[in-house]
Amino acid sequence: MIPDLSVEIGSLKLKNPVMLASGTVGYGNEISEFMDLSKIGAIVTKSVSLKPRKGNPPQRIVETPAGMLNAIGLANVGLEEFIKTKIPFLKEVNSTLICNIAAGSIEEYVECTRILDKEEIIKAFEINVSCPNVKEGGLIFGNDVKAVGRITELVRGVTNKTIIIKLSPNVANIADFAEAARKEGADAVSAINTLVGTSFDIYTRKPKIKNITGGLSGPAIKPVALAKVLEISRRVDIPIIGIGGIMNWKDAIEFMICGASAFQLGTVNFVNPAAGVEIIEGLINYCNKMSITNITDLIATYKI
Amino acid sequence: MDIYKIIVVSNTALQENVFLLKCLSSEIASKILPGQFCNIKVSESDFPLLRRPFSICDVEGDYISFMYEVHGEGTKLLSHKKEGDLIDLIGPLGKGFNYKSEYETAIFISGGIGVAPFPYLTRSLDGSIPYKIFLGGRTENQIHTYGLHNYEISTDDGSMGYKGNVVQLFEKHIPLLDKSKIKVFGCGPNPMLRALKELCLLHEINCEVSVECAMACGFGICQGCPIEKAEESDKYYLVCKDGPVFNIKDVVI
Ligand SMILES: Cc1cc2nc3c(=O)[nH]c(=O)nc-3n(C[C@H](O)[C@H](O)[C@H](O)COP(=O)(O)O)c2cc1C
Ligand code: FES
């Protein structure tokens, strides 16, 4: 029997809970050579900003134990180019498209959302208030509960589509941020973005990435991400999209048990660009084995 | 590009810490071009997590080979692979050398393990064009002549061949060449490529180089591998997708 894998995030219905995380699938073209994107629940675009961003100078990445640090610096083509050259391909992919937005000011978040709201193919917005690698914007907002609330409120004012606020783990109480987002009308939160980290060369004593610090991702952060998802799940009544170190279907199930309604695959796409479809297979087998007919029956079923 | 699981035929030491990994893969052998690379998963576990990029070294029939130097945890694990083991790899990746364009003599210049793409590249010329190879290294055990003919050697310490660096060795030969009719192909560490760029710009010599860079994905989705364009631009090239081979004039090394 094929279990029902469909899930709902606010008004957004996904054929399954597998999403591809922002910044780890570009705009879909390359990864489509490795798997059938129409099987994937949703694709989240690389963060789009109002104007193009060149991003940080090299070196931008370094491998760390069971993970990696990145300081890409939100390199992206900018909103205009995104609409002109990236959306046409994404229209042909029969998957749900979520547009991730990054900005340097509250006004820029609102302006981006307002313009992109007209693109019918975009079904939801993921608001990135948590990028650790740019000076202005990103974490400055992500660290400030009031700013997160305000951004949510204003973005809510310009779109009726699903709004997901992507939260930073680099805060004391992530649930406070989820609560602020909920109160101001967000449909869901996604957690987590990367953790601030660094790495030095012991012979030259220089940082291995030019930006000095970067965002840690990959299996190394999974326990932290799970704890954050669990914290939100226990305190705030809002759908959660779990992100952080998922490498296989077992990791994904663990996130759902800890409270995630859906989950995103990030770094794993670099290592195994077919992971998305493999995980769907794994979910089906698990549901069958556990006699689960609707995958939603798993969400937040932790026994504590 | 695709993901393949291919079988190891041999993995032999050419020098103390330099290995030649030979695998069977008719699909990659039939598609891959000189200068392209494959991204190899060296471990089945999550540590090391990322794949490692390796230039294609040679293609013979259905066999492909990679030459690599052991310098970290990943390459050490790779050196433990044995005949019959399976290797998980993504390829072919990147853009290779434009070795079919108009020139009369090809010059190949490498530093250390930068020689890796040259056996396949020189073989691909198929005897149609005369060529000369300049191999450089710090010392004798950094000189790898596997699969090569027609070479001259330089070492920084003079332990083998000309004493000095490989760009100086090439410079000595420039008066003997018709500069407008040669094309240089270079691969090696950045300081060598910088010296090569200066020399080629000075003499107006056409030159393509393969550059090295840290990579996470190897196929254009992570934006982790930027290289500055020589002309002012609001974008970088991506080494894995726009390269790893570039005209030396187009990039800041
Ligand atoms: C190279 C790289 C680039 C990223 N770029 C973005 C981005 O542009 N916007 C964003 O919201 N998150 C970005 N992220 C964060 C991921 O979407 C994800 O939250 C994080 O990597 C944790 O998941 P993982 O451990 O599965 O990779 C990026 C992550 C990586 C590794
Ligand atoms: S290594 Fe990922 S884009 Fe080049």
Side-chain angles (χ1 to χ4, degrees):
Chain A
M1 204 190 71
I2 303 260
D4 182 0
L5 295 187
S6 66
V7 297
E8 276 168 33
I9 310 286
S11 57
L12 189 68
K13 204 165 156 67
L14 303 182
K15 59 186 147 227
N16 60 57
V18 182
M19 305 169 63
L20 305 182
S22 179
T24 66
V25 287
Y27 304 101
N29 313 46
E30 291 87 3
I31 204 151
S32 69
E33 296 201 26
F34 297 100
M35 65 180 168
D36 180 357
L37 286 178
S38 71
K39 294 198 170 136
I40 299 294
I43 301 169
V44 187
T45 66
K46 172 76 190 163
S47 281
V48 179
S49 51
L50 199 54
K51 296 274 174 276
R53 274 173 178 269
K54 190 173 182 182
N56 290 328
Q59 182 160 343
R60 286 181 177 174
I61 52 165
V62 66
E63 183 164 5
T64 57
M68 62 177 280
L69 288 166
N70 89 79
I72 308 297
L74 298 178
N76 81 94
V77 296
L79 192 143
E80 204 174 304
E81 178 87 1
F82 169 70
I83 294 175
K84 220 164 43 199
T85 64
K86 306 298 179 186
I87 285 201
F89 172 83
L90 291 161
K91 270 186 184 158
E92 281 170 27
V93 178
N94 188 18
S95 176
T96 302
L97 181 64
I98 298 176
C99 186
N100 180 299
I101 294 175
S105 68
I106 295 187
E107 297 74 37
E108 190 185 343
Y109 281 112
V110 177
E111 184 65 2
C112 279
T113 311
R114 197 182 56 73
I115 296 170
L116 288 166
D117 187 57
K118 302 190 188 90
E119 299 296 324
E120 211 178 313
I121 181 78
I122 297 173
K123 303 296 181 221
F125 294 103
E126 182 178 63
I127 307 297
N128 179 5
V129 291
S130 44
C131 177
N133 299 320
V134 290
K135 283 196 198 71
E136 81 283 18
L139 252 195
I140 296 196
F141 298 128
N143 262 331
D144 178 345
V145 179
K146 283 210 192 80
V148 169
R150 183 84 182 131
I151 291 168
T152 310
E153 179 194 352
L154 293 178
V155 166
R156 179 78 288 168
V158 293
T159 184
N160 290 321
K161 294 180 182 178
T162 299
I163 294 175
I164 303 157
I165 304 293
K166 185 164 181 180
L167 301 177
S168 169
N170 304 295
V171 296
N173 283 306
I174 198 168
D176 293 347
F177 291 78
E179 174 58 22
R182 187 201 63 78
K183 233 174 75 200
E184 299 302 340
D187 300 281
V189 292
S190 51
I192 56 176
N193 207 320
T194 53
L195 288 144
V196 176
T198 190
S199 176
F200 274 69
D201 182 308
I202 59 166
Y203 299 103
T204 63
R205 305 185 194 188
K206 288 186 177 163
K208 289 188 185 164
I209 42 181
K210 187 79 180 228
N211 192 53
I212 306 176
T213 58
L216 182 63
S217 66
I221 72 169
K222 195 186 79 172
V224 178
L226 280 169
K228 299 289 180 191
V229 168
L230 184 65
E231 185 188 335
I232 300 168
S233 170
R234 297 181 85 180
R235 278 193 43 206
V236 188
D237 183 21
I238 190 167
I240 307 163
I241 299 164
I243 322 170
I246 298 176
M247 294 299 286
N248 53 48
W249 62 269
K250 290 183 190 164
D251 297 334
I253 302 261
E254 206 176 347
F255 270 92
M256 295 193 74
I257 291 170
C258 284
S261 298
F263 52 85
Q264 295 182 11
L265 310 179
T267 304
V268 68
N269 296 316
F270 306 154
V271 183
N272 176 13
V277 288
E278 289 172 16
I279 287 175
I280 295 171
E281 281 301 302
L283 296 181
I284 294 173
N285 293 339
Y286 174 83
C287 287
N288 284 339
K289 188 165 168 203
M290 304 296 286
S291 307
I292 294 167
T293 49
N294 288 298
I295 197 147
T296 50
D297 292 344
L298 255 183
I299 301 168
T301 51
Y302 41 83
K303 299 187 172 156
I304 297 178
Chain B
M1 59 184 176
D2 215 330
I3 310 176
Y4 297 98
K5 283 223 165 45
I6 64 176
I7 196 159
V8 174
V9 178
S10 62
N11 192 14
T12 46
L14 299 175
Q15 296 266 6
E16 196 186 320
N17 61 342
V18 173
F19 288 74
L20 190 76
L21 171 72
K22 197 167 175 180
C23 306
L24 178 66
S25 172
S26 56
E27 282 116 326
I28 292 185
S30 64
K31 277 190 285 200
I32 198 159
L33 303 169
Q36 287 190 303
F37 67 96
C38 292
N39 220 359
I40 297 180
K41 183 92 179 87
V42 293
S43 146
E44 272 163 39
S45 79
D46 296 338
F47 185 57
L49 177 66
L50 301 175
R51 291 170 183 268
R52 298 285 186 277
F54 297 96
S55 294
I56 185 74
C57 175
D58 210 355
V59 175
E60 297 161 278
D62 289 343
Y63 297 96
I64 58 174
S65 46
F66 303 94
M67 192 194 289
Y68 62 96
E69 192 170 31
V70 174
H71 52 71
E73 214 45 54
T75 40
K76 191 155 128 202
L77 283 171
L78 190 61
S79 73
H80 296 159
K81 299 272 181 197
K82 295 183 305 293
E83 180 186 349
D85 287 352
L86 283 179
I87 282 196
D88 178 329
L89 126 181
I90 296 180
L93 297 169
K95 295 200 169 70
F97 290 102
N98 295 295
Y99 62 93
K100 287 184 178 151
S101 55
E102 297 280 300
Y103 56 91
E104 289 177 7
T105 303
I107 305 286
F108 301 99
I109 302 180
S110 71
I113 194 68
V115 70
F118 290 170
Y120 186 32
L121 181 55
T122 52
R123 186 194 291 278
S124 300
L125 292 178
D126 203 18
S128 59
I129 292 172
Y131 67 83
K132 182 142 202 91
I133 306 173
F134 298 98
L135 302 175
R138 277 197 296 277
T139 72
E140 187 177 1
N141 53 23
Q142 282 195 342
I143 301 296
H144 318 296
T145 58
Y146 169 84
L148 301 177
H149 311 277
N150 260 351
Y151 50 80
E152 290 208 24
I153 291 168
S154 75
T155 50
D156 294 352
D157 67 358
S159 54
M160 197 178 191
Y162 170 80
K163 184 173 193 299
N165 74 45
V166 71
V167 177
Q168 292 163 339
L169 175 62
F170 167 55
E171 189 174 9
K172 286 209 324 169
H173 279 75
I174 291 181
L176 311 173
L177 300 161
D178 182 347
K179 290 188 290 191
S180 64
K181 299 202 167 110
I182 62 173
K183 181 160 184 177
V184 171
F185 300 90
C187 186
N190 278 345
M192 176 204 127
L193 296 184
R194 274 195 286 273
L196 184 62
K197 176 167 180 172
E198 208 169 294
L199 190 69
C200 288
L201 290 182
L202 182 71
H203 291 277
E204 294 180 25
I205 293 170
N206 188 8
C207 175
E208 274 183 13
V209 291
S210 175
V211 301
E212 279 222 352
C213 178
M215 293 183 187
C217 69
F219 54 91
I221 59 172
C222 77
Q223 305 271 322
C225 61
I227 184 168
E228 188 88 51
K229 295 184 180 184
E231 297 197 350
E232 190 129 339
S233 168
D234 58 2
K235 281 194 193 125
Y236 290 99
Y237 287 119
L238 293 180
V239 171
C240 73
K241 208 177 153 201
D242 303 315
V245 174
F246 293 97
N247 194 297
I248 206 161
K249 285 193 307 222
D250 296 340
V251 288
V252 178
I253 296 166

